[in-house]
Amino acid sequence: MDDKLLLFEFLDAEKYRISLSLGECQLDSKPLGRNEAGIVFKARMNGKDVALKFFLFNGDDSRKGKWLNKLKARYLEISLLETRNNIVQYADFDIVTVEGEEIPVLVMKLYKCSLEEYRSILSMDTFLKLFRFLTNTVQFLHSMGISHGAITPRNILVDDHNDFVLTDVSILENNDAGYSDITAIGEVLQWYAFGNISNDAGISKVFPALKLYDQIVERCLTQDNSRRFRSVDEILAFVEIQKERDPSELLKEFSLICRKNFPKELPEFVHCSDQAKIIKLFSEFVSRKDFFGGNLIYFTDVERNVFSPQICKNGYIKFDNSAQYKVLDIWIHSDSDMRNDYILVHHSNTLPEKVNGKDVYRWAVYEERTQITWEEAMNGFAESDGDIIALDRTKIEFYNRISREGYTFIALNHLHSLASPANAGTLRDYFFRFSFSYVNRYILEDMNNQMKQHISALGRK
């Protein structure tokens, strides 16, 4: 009898209650996930929710002892790593004996979901975060002499803080796992952008400001050994060379765009509700997306994202690949320092779009003309007159219309004082004030004074 059948018969007979070294466990009857290598269950142990992964042996019985010893050694190896910030947290490695057969089980922290399930809203910020996670984790494992060999969206987990961790480290054998880990970085990034790993289009098709990553993914996946990245260090060195921008040039370009569109009012403050002027200003940023790359960001009262604008119809503006705003008016501040320069956008509450007879704030457009639901776009299939149509991800445009009135703050990442994570609380405090009164020059002058204090404090360190 194979291990899978043996395990399910045992769990069914025990009513999904088992005893492990750390205590009694009550398992959910429905697995969280499964593959040929194992099955994961949610369980309750000592008043805490945990995840249990049962490893399944598939092969000649004479080799099972060697396989089991290797699993134990691998668990010990991962447990003794210097740091495991990016790796799933293990509590114990145990053995369940069923009819004389040993089935290993790993007791793990329970995570919110996998990357496969997390990919419900495409975000440039999440893409960049995923890239940093993959390169940091693989670089660390390789420096420890460990290769994963099977990195997929399913074994990248997401915790309650939306941070990523990697599971199944060093469980699978692979003759060239280091090589395959580099391939996996390209595949996971491609999958996040397109929902599959067989798409030939560049990442910039989904995230226009990220043309750099077209080359990164292509060089991770190419079979041409002369062009292929051989290590994570090579990937990161390539990124630094390609994305390097002189901070003073970024500051000058941001200031130039603001001043050239309001030559009579700037420097200092300007308030504008003229829609033609607002569209012209944002069009300048559209044309300079390649220059700014990921250095230009926008803040809301709850999050920060890379600012990569697109001009839409009917007066709407997309701030990234999906978030769509109806801009009412803007405040711009510019002075000789340039580190204080920013744009504050006041956007209105908006009406929903009608898609398939329903009012929605999230939808997609296929081939620039056919409206489809957000769910169809994410699934890669649309239904039309009873027929199921496979969608080409490169031809889908996403829209996530921001329905509520509010403010967004646009500035240069790491160069503006309020873009620093240490000063994010100051900006959140002002968003709170914005929500109770119409923004005016006096409120902004107060905010600018706070910025100058942050810059002065930074200069004294």
Side-chain angles (χ1 to χ4, degrees), residues 115-131:
L115 179 65
E116 198 171 56
E117 301 161 294
Y118 184 69
R119 186 185 172 275
S120 59
I121 297 179
L122 288 176
S123 158
M124 186 186 303
D125 204 42
T126 301
F127 178 92
L128 294 171
K129 181 178 177 180
L130 181 60
F131 172 76

Side-chain angles (χ1 to χ4, degrees), residues 88 111 113-115 154-159 163-165 167:
V88 70
Y111 290 85
C113 62
S114 71
L115 179 65
R154 183 174 293 177
N155 56 36
I156 297 172
L157 305 181
V158 184
D159 67 15
D163 290 326
F164 301 125
V165 295
T167 188

Side-chain angles (χ1 to χ4, degrees), residues 75-349:
Y75 167 72
L76 180 61
E77 183 178 18
I78 300 303
S79 298
L80 295 177
L81 287 175
E82 295 174 8
T83 177
R84 289 167 55 206
N85 292 339
N86 290 358
I87 299 171
V88 70
Q89 297 298 299
Y90 305 140
D92 195 21
F93 185 90
D94 212 332
I95 300 291
V96 175
T97 303
V98 184
E99 296 182 9
E101 294 292 333
E102 293 183 320
I103 299 178
V105 55
L106 198 57
V107 183
M108 307 182 297
K109 177 181 176 179
L110 181 68
Y111 290 85
K112 182 169 65 176
C113 62
S114 71
L115 179 65
E116 198 171 56
E117 301 161 294
Y118 184 69
R119 186 185 172 275
S120 59
I121 297 179
L122 288 176
S123 158
M124 186 186 303
D125 204 42
T126 301
F127 178 92
L128 294 171
K129 181 178 177 180
L130 181 60
F131 172 76
R132 292 191 294 270
F133 162 76
L134 289 167
T135 51
N136 289 344
T137 307
V138 172
Q139 184 183 48
F140 171 68
L141 289 175
H142 287 190
S143 73
M144 295 289 105
I146 298 170
S147 296
H148 190 287
I151 300 173
T152 67
R154 183 174 293 177
N155 56 36
I156 297 172
L157 305 181
V158 184
D159 67 15
D160 291 336
H161 302 288
N162 294 327
D163 290 326
F164 301 125
V165 295
L166 185 63
T167 188
D168 286 354
V169 177
S170 294
I171 296 302
L172 300 180
E173 293 186 47
N174 193 302
N175 293 329
D176 198 0
Y179 185 93
S180 69
D181 286 348
I182 300 299
T183 301
I185 290 174
E187 288 179 340
V188 172
L189 293 175
Q190 188 179 52
W191 173 87
Y192 181 78
F194 296 105
N196 60 66
I197 59 172
S198 58
N199 204 302
D200 293 331
I203 298 300
S204 61
K205 176 66 181 180
V206 179
F207 303 114
L210 300 184
K211 285 189 176 180
L212 163 64
Y213 293 85
D214 294 349
Q215 299 178 65
I216 292 173
V217 170
E218 192 272 329
R219 289 186 60 180
C220 284
L221 300 180
T222 184
Q223 298 301 309
D224 182 352
N225 288 331
S226 66
R227 298 193 66 253
R228 183 184 179 84
F229 290 122
R230 291 167 295 179
S231 68
V232 174
D233 288 341
E234 283 192 7
I235 297 175
L236 296 178
F238 176 80
V239 170
E240 288 305 313
I241 292 171
Q242 297 298 317
K243 77 174 185 179
E244 194 170 313
R245 287 280 185 210
D246 185 335
S248 65
E249 293 302 314
L250 290 167
L251 290 167
K252 287 177 183 177
E253 186 66 16
F254 186 84
S255 177
L256 175 65
I257 290 174
C258 294
R259 287 184 290 106
K260 73 186 285 189
N261 280 278
F262 297 94
K264 292 182 179 180
E265 295 91 347
L266 294 176
E268 292 192 4
F269 281 111
V270 61
H271 175 256
C272 177
S273 57
D274 184 324
Q275 291 299 308
K277 285 190 174 183
I278 291 172
I279 293 297
K280 187 174 183 299
L281 173 72
F282 280 98
S283 296
E284 296 270 0
F285 286 107
V286 172
S287 67
R288 298 297 280 155
K289 280 194 287 193
D290 288 347
F291 175 83
F292 286 110
N295 292 295
L296 200 57
I297 57 174
Y298 73 95
F299 294 79
T300 70
D301 53 350
V302 294
E303 62 182 351
R304 59 192 284 168
N305 291 298
V306 174
F307 181 62
S308 178
Q310 301 173 54
I311 308 300
C312 305
K313 297 177 181 179
N314 304 322
Y316 286 97
I317 299 174
K318 289 175 77 173
F319 279 24
D320 54 29
N321 67 300
S322 63
Q324 190 183 54
Y325 292 85
K326 186 80 167 181
V327 177
L328 287 173
D329 56 324
I330 61 174
W331 282 90
I332 299 177
H333 178 261
S334 177
D335 63 23
S336 58
D337 190 300
M338 292 190 293
R339 289 177 297 174
N340 289 329
D341 291 1
Y342 63 84
I343 302 171
L344 183 67
V345 177
H346 178 206
H347 58 87
S348 70
N349 55 353

Side-chain angles (χ1 to χ4, degrees), residues 416-428 450-451 453-455 458 461:
H416 193 284
S417 64
L418 295 189
S420 167
N423 300 329
T426 300
L427 193 56
R428 281 196 297 269
Q450 291 288 330
M451 293 179 202
Q453 289 178 26
H454 288 313
I455 291 174
L458 186 63
K461 290 181 180 179

